């Protein structure tokens, strides 16, 4: 998923929320892995998560 930000001032807040989300993902049932690729100077970020089964992924989104 591509996450473009509108303003440079949004980057620090985005990174703070990313840190909080990663903390949750570490203990999420069914989460096999996750990653974030960042290009902060162009305000673009990519996320990827892998889940052991579809039910865990859907449960996490809801």
């Amino acid at each position: 998923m591509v996450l473009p930000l509108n303003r440079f001032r949004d980057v620090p807040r985005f990174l703070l929320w990313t840190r909080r989300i990663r903390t949750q993902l570490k203990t999420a049932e069914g989460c096999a892995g996750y990653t974030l690729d960042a290009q902060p100077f162009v305000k673009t970020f990519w996320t990827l998560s892998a889940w052991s089964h579809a039910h865990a992924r859907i449960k996490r989104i809801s």
Side-chain angles (χ1 to χ4, degrees):
M1 169 180 275
V2 177
L3 304 169
L5 299 178
N6 294 324
R7 301 174 299 223
F8 281 109
R9 72 180 189 183
D10 294 332
V11 171
R13 186 174 354 151
F14 174 81
L15 294 174
L16 174 66
W17 280 104
T18 299
R19 195 156 133 208
R20 291 176 181 173
I21 291 168
R22 288 175 64 125
T23 300
Q24 291 177 359
L25 287 172
K26 286 179 185 178
T27 59
E29 179 184 340
C31 182
Y34 53 88
T35 188
L36 170 72
D37 188 14
Q39 291 185 339
F41 297 110
V42 291
K43 303 176 295 189
T44 304
F45 300 84
W46 293 267
T47 63
L48 176 66
S49 59
W51 298 86
S52 60
H53 54 287
H55 177 70
R57 180 177 48 85
I58 292 169
K59 182 179 174 185
R60 193 74 195 149
I61 293 172
S62 303

